[in-house]
Amino acid sequence: MSSSTPHLRGGVAGPLLTVVASGATLVLLAACGGGGGTRDEGVASIADPSATAGTTTADADAGQVRIRLDDNQDDVNRLWDAWTDCLNEHGVPKDQKAPANSPALKACELKYPLQPVEMDPAKNPRYSDGVRAMVRCMNAHGIKSVVSEGNWAMASGDSMNLPNYDKYRVECQVKSFKNDG
């Protein structure tokens, strides 16, 4: 599965919070975030200037909310909740998927959380290296992970219940996918 794979969150389709959040997984997992983007859901964050240095106003996702590489699951959930709340405010019930041509989708498009640039294989030429590093890091913390269809995945969803799972996922994600140039 990729970051564009549908994911049901509060009954509304959105991308699978991928590689735990961004990739094909053996278990549905949640992704966390990276650079730039403005947030209006009330979560304070500091954008990494180096992460947005190459962006221009012509960028297809300019102004779009973007999950940060170091976001924990609560941060990611707040972003998705803001998007589904916006859809709801524009007439889409929380237990329904918005039709493709829905005015609500257009009205809420800037609140639709994009995955971190670092975890987008189309935008990160070192993505495959990051996937392998992520698997090594998670396994080092006792969270059995594998490379699956070019993305990282957990061997079992039970690992999400391990103590410090989210902490290790965020640490490994930042360490494995950060863009040090």
Side-chain angles (χ1 to χ4, degrees):
M1 294 177 215
S2 71
S3 61
S4 62
T5 302
H7 171 71
L8 292 179
R9 174 116 175 85
V12 179
L16 173 65
L17 302 175
T18 62
V19 184
V20 200
S22 211
T25 58
L26 301 175
V27 179
L28 293 178
L29 303 172
C32 286
T38 308
R39 298 195 177 167
D40 58 355
E41 80 291 353
V43 176
S45 68
I46 300 173
D48 177 3
S50 65
T52 58
T55 62
T56 67
T57 55
D59 286 344
D61 60 337
Q64 185 111 19
V65 172
R66 185 169 291 279
I67 298 168
R68 292 174 45 105
L69 197 57
D70 60 350
D71 278 346
N72 64 34
Q73 193 57 51
D74 289 337
D75 296 332
V76 172
N77 289 345
R78 276 191 289 278
L79 293 176
W80 283 112
D81 289 345
W83 182 68
T84 57
D85 288 347
C86 181
L87 291 175
N88 186 251
E89 290 166 10
H90 287 86
V92 178
K94 290 198 181 228
D95 62 343
Q96 293 182 12
K97 179 180 176 179
N101 60 352
S102 169
L105 287 177
K106 182 70 174 164
C108 300
E109 70 183 326
L110 292 179
K111 291 187 180 205
Y112 184 88
L114 298 175
Q115 295 303 316
V117 173
E118 298 91 343
M119 295 183 73
D120 182 344
K123 294 183 179 185
N124 181 357
R126 296 185 346 221
Y127 178 78
S128 294
D129 295 335
V131 167
R132 288 186 296 276
M134 182 75 177
V135 168
R136 283 191 304 273
C137 184
M138 294 296 278
N139 284 328
H141 289 293
I143 301 168
K144 180 66 178 152
S145 300
V146 296
V147 175
S148 175
E149 298 179 24
N151 300 296
W152 87 271
M154 292 188 316
S156 167
D158 292 341
S159 295
M160 293 176 76
N161 296 322
L162 293 173
N164 297 315
Y165 165 78
D166 195 40
K167 174 184 178 244
Y168 293 142
R169 183 189 51 76
V170 171
E171 285 177 10
C172 289
Q173 204 165 264
V174 170
K175 177 181 172 186
S176 301
F177 289 98
K178 69 182 176 184
N179 192 0
D180 286 341

